[in-house]
Amino acid sequence: MTIEDKVNFILLLVLILTIIFTLNALVNMKVHLFKSVIDRKINRLDKLDTLGKYNILLENVEHYIELYPDEINFHWRKARALYKTEQFELAREHFLFIADSEPTLKSDADQYIERINAKLGA
């Protein structure tokens, strides 16, 4: 292997490592930006909840769920808004989904499910 071949090999390695580093940096930026966007949307929903504007909250959260179907925080806020607007059957469906999907929220969702069952006499 000539010196020129060795230099070319080293340059190729540097290029590959640069590409890997750049891709990693881009993925990390996307994760942080994505988290920030979701946090802002959750804060908006929480403000609507505090103001008692549940119908607007339901409209917004439905759109957010379409964009981010795996974000359980949006499902939680939808379920609570349905509960607060006395749409108990729909609320129960969403709390059941939450209880099955997210173990950390299961006990809270189960409490709502029990309250709904009591209200509906189920």
Side-chain angles (χ1 to χ4, degrees), residues 24-63:
N24 186 36
L26 289 173
V27 167
N28 285 335
M29 275 186 4
K30 181 182 177 189
V31 167
H32 292 299
L33 290 174
F34 182 73
K35 175 88 172 107
S36 174
V37 167
I38 288 178
D39 287 344
R40 282 195 309 269
K41 291 181 185 316
I42 288 171
N43 287 337
R44 276 188 218 134
L45 294 173
D46 289 344
K47 285 179 186 175
L48 291 170
D49 183 48
T50 300
L51 296 171
K53 297 184 177 186
Y54 304 117
N55 290 328
I56 298 170
L57 187 154
L58 286 168
E59 290 173 14
N60 288 333
V61 78
E62 190 63 41
H63 176 69

Side-chain angles (χ1 to χ4, degrees), residues 45-105:
L45 294 173
D46 289 344
K47 285 179 186 175
L48 291 170
D49 183 48
T50 300
L51 296 171
K53 297 184 177 186
Y54 304 117
N55 290 328
I56 298 170
L57 187 154
L58 286 168
E59 290 173 14
N60 288 333
V61 78
E62 190 63 41
H63 176 69
Y64 298 158
I65 289 172
E66 288 175 17
L67 293 174
Y68 311 100
D70 296 330
E71 180 55 52
I72 201 71
N73 288 301
F74 293 142
H75 290 278
W76 179 259
R77 277 142 181 92
K78 181 177 182 177
R80 284 179 30 102
L82 289 167
Y83 179 84
K84 290 179 179 182
T85 57
E86 298 183 359
Q87 298 178 57
F88 297 123
E89 293 287 343
L90 289 172
R92 180 171 45 196
E93 288 177 27
H94 285 279
F95 283 120
L96 286 168
F97 170 78
I98 292 165
D100 289 340
S101 301
E102 183 57 50
T104 59
L105 295 175

